[in-house]
Amino acid sequence: MNSNSLVVIGNGMASNRVLEELGKDHPFDAIHVLSDEHLSHYNRIMLSPLLADETTLDAITPHDADWYQQRRITVHLNTPVARIDTRQKIVVAGNNEPFSYHALLIATGSRSAIPAMPGTDNGTLPDNVLGFRTMSDVDAMLAALPTLKHATVIGAGLLGVEAAVGLKAQGVDVTLMHRNPILMNRQLDATASGILQRELEQRGIDVRTGVSPQGLDLTGNSATAVQYRLRSEPAEAAVKTLNTDLVVFATGILPNRELASAAGIDTQRGICVNERMEASAEDVYSLGECCEFEGLTYGLVAPIWEQAKVVAAGLLSINDPSGKSQLSGYAEQEHLTKLKVSGVDIHSMGQFEPSDNDQIIQLQDLKSGIYKKLVIREQQIVGVLCVGDVLDSSWYFDLLSHNADISAIRTNLIFGKGYCEDDTSKAGTQEDNAA
């Protein structure tokens, strides 16, 4: 096999984004993508609409065979990797097939972090207890539908909420449990969470917040009881029981770092990378949910898209060490997180929970499901939360990103760009008249 090859471990959204950034004129004679899944690359963000029967697998599969052929890319499905030899620059697949590389990209993603508790701590889960990360998880849920009456989703972050909505759309009764009193607490505050909870409950979803699961009482593969406590109750309070047919854990993710660690590549929580997304071994890169940069790991796409640009730039200049050293590296920055959850548009950015001495400007029309919140520090926007009305969120993000002084438009800032431009225009006209 030609050694002037790029080998990519993982066929998810992060690796696909790098392939798109590389284009057709990359310096490699061949690119080999090793995937442990049986399907071609698909858009994982669209798993929830797929579960809800709002789209099809073909519609969320972005590239056909010609696209890969034009870029000299071969995708090896059902090809898990057994080991990496960074000295000889060889990746060995589970079937013992070796893949020599000039550069290696590790994009192994993450897996569901299922908490250890009675019923999950024996290393083997029954068929009706699963995570929500891959097409296999969706297939398992869809296969269970003919006999599925009730499902319990544990964890109300983005994925948990989407799983609950998708199952409810299939006619299943759903209970959504969350330890925090605030749904999607990494993106929402209490007011925004209340709007989302109302929307979910209007759809018929049983939402229970402030709930701490204690264990699963498993009975074969057809019935399960979730044992839980209300966190507001004393520890001696009786454990409550919820009978259910399916349990979906959406309680966070764990980076898939084990393959890299076994190869002697530096890892902590994830695969450690520098600002050029380089791992500790020569000509090895990593990005996405499996990597760790300056102590941070990743779960949303916005920073991963930036990482993909850095990786692609490094790979395109891999034969030019002098040019490579001039490349811009990855740096943490604020991102505008755009979500559409249960039909509600949610845009979140920056520090939407205020610190001491911060000021808050809010607009609320909770009956209509509209909520806007600006966090101001020293005449600059440091955080924004828009629910229902997201028309001006990109403008707010631009002001936040550029540390803009908003003192001149502060009065009408919460009403959006149009009102503030009118104010600026009027102020300029008055100054002209005075002159």
Side-chain angles (χ1 to χ4, degrees):
M1 186 173 294
N2 195 318
S3 61
N4 186 28
S5 295
L6 168 63
V7 173
V8 181
I9 304 176
N11 194 28
M13 296 184 68
S15 61
N16 180 76
R17 189 70 168 198
V18 173
L19 298 178
E20 291 174 342
E21 293 283 348
L22 286 176
K24 299 178 182 178
D25 298 325
H26 58 74
F28 303 101
D29 295 332
I31 297 176
H32 294 276
V33 180
L34 310 183
S35 173
D36 59 3
E37 292 192 89
H38 67 285
L39 296 170
S40 299
H41 166 76
Y42 54 89
N43 184 347
R44 296 177 194 274
I45 292 177
M46 299 301 292
L47 285 180
S48 299
L50 188 67
L51 175 62
D53 200 24
E54 297 171 353
T55 188
T56 65
L57 180 58
D58 285 345
I60 67 172
T61 302
H63 305 309
D64 59 16
D66 287 342
W67 188 90
Y68 290 100
Q69 184 176 6
Q70 291 169 8
R71 290 157 178 79
R72 304 183 297 286
I73 301 171
T74 302
V75 179
H76 304 264
L77 300 177
N78 289 313
T79 307
V81 172
R83 62 184 177 88
I84 301 168
D85 186 332
T86 59
R87 290 188 176 182
Q88 297 190 46
K89 291 191 171 184
I90 293 175
V91 173
V92 180
N95 59 4
N96 290 322
E97 182 179 1
F99 292 85
S100 298
Y101 67 82
H102 185 50
L104 171 64
L105 174 60
I106 304 176
T108 44
S110 65
R111 61 188 182 277
S112 296
I114 297 179
M117 62 178 68
T120 68
D121 55 4
N122 62 1
T124 302
L125 297 176
D127 293 342
N128 64 334
V129 180
L130 61 155
F132 185 43
R133 299 293 301 163
T134 67
M135 190 65 210
S136 296
D137 297 326
V138 174
D139 287 341
M141 294 183 209
L142 294 176
L145 285 178
T147 58
L148 185 59
K149 295 182 179 179
H150 185 274
T152 300
V153 179
I154 299 177
L158 173 61
L159 285 178
V161 171
E162 289 187 333
V165 171
L167 286 165
K168 186 63 183 177
Q170 291 284 12
V172 179
D173 289 335
V174 178
T175 296
L176 176 62
M177 293 184 170
H178 195 48
R179 288 174 60 89
N180 199 290
I182 298 174
L183 302 177
M184 290 179 58
N185 48 288
R186 292 189 176 183
Q187 287 85 31
L188 305 182
D189 65 5
T191 303
S193 171
I195 294 173
L196 177 59
Q197 181 166 343
R198 184 183 67 181
E199 174 67 25
L200 295 173
E201 290 173 342
Q202 287 177 346
R203 289 177 179 240
I205 296 172
D206 173 23
V207 180
R208 306 187 188 188
T209 60
V211 169
S212 180
Q214 302 295 300
L216 305 181
D217 182 8
L218 305 177
T219 306
N221 286 339
S222 60
T224 299
V226 179
Q227 298 169 333
Y228 67 96
R229 292 182 185 274
L230 297 179
R231 302 188 74 189
S232 59
E233 294 182 345
E236 60 270 18
V239 172
K240 296 174 173 58
T241 298
L242 174 68
N243 293 319
T244 191
D245 304 309
L246 175 74
V247 178
V248 179
F249 280 99
T251 45
I253 58 177
L254 293 174
N256 292 322
R257 59 176 176 79
E258 291 78 9
L259 187 64
S261 181
I265 296 170
D266 290 346
T267 63
Q268 294 184 34
R269 177 174 168 80
I271 302 169
C272 298
V273 295
N274 62 19
E275 70 278 3
R276 291 190 293 273
M277 308 310 296
E278 296 169 327
S280 61
E282 183 181 11
D283 294 327
V284 177
Y285 297 77
S286 183
L287 85 163
E289 293 178 349
C290 67
C291 84
E292 177 176 337
F293 174 70
E294 295 184 347
L296 299 173
T297 54
Y298 303 90
L300 296 174
V301 298
I304 296 174
W305 283 181
E306 296 301 317
Q307 293 172 2
K309 293 177 182 178
V310 174
V311 171
L315 292 172
L316 289 170
S317 62
I318 197 166
N319 296 322
D320 181 12
S322 60
K324 187 177 178 182
S325 64
Q326 303 300 315
L327 296 174
S328 298
Y330 176 75
E332 288 299 319
Q333 55 186 294
E334 296 291 354
H335 292 284
L336 169 55
T337 301
K338 298 181 179 181
L339 310 168
K340 194 176 186 70
V341 186
S342 189
V344 180
D345 284 307
I346 299 171
H347 289 188
S348 175
M349 66 198 85
Q351 304 169 46
F352 61 84
E353 290 290 6
S355 301
D356 292 342
N357 300 320
D358 287 348
Q359 297 176 315
I360 300 174
I361 306 175
Q362 296 185 73
L363 183 152
Q364 297 185 25
D365 182 356
L366 301 185
K367 186 176 181 180
S368 300
I370 293 175
Y371 173 54
K372 294 169 69 175
K373 174 182 177 181
L374 308 178
V375 180
I376 309 298
R377 182 180 304 156
E378 297 179 352
Q379 301 301 327
Q380 294 177 347
I381 297 177
V382 296
V384 180
L385 193 53
C386 296
V387 180
D389 178 5
V390 297
L391 180 64
D392 291 296
S393 65
S394 294
W395 178 64
Y396 289 136
F397 181 66
D398 190 54
L399 294 174
L400 183 153
S401 300
H402 291 89
N403 300 314
D405 185 337
I406 53 87
S407 54
I409 56 175
R410 184 186 178 102
T411 301
N412 281 331
L413 186 63
I414 194 67
F415 301 114
K417 183 178 181 180
Y419 284 88
C420 294
E421 287 180 339
D422 286 345
D423 272 1
T424 303
S425 175
K426 290 175 183 177
T429 301
Q430 291 169 357
E431 290 174 3
D432 291 342
N433 291 338

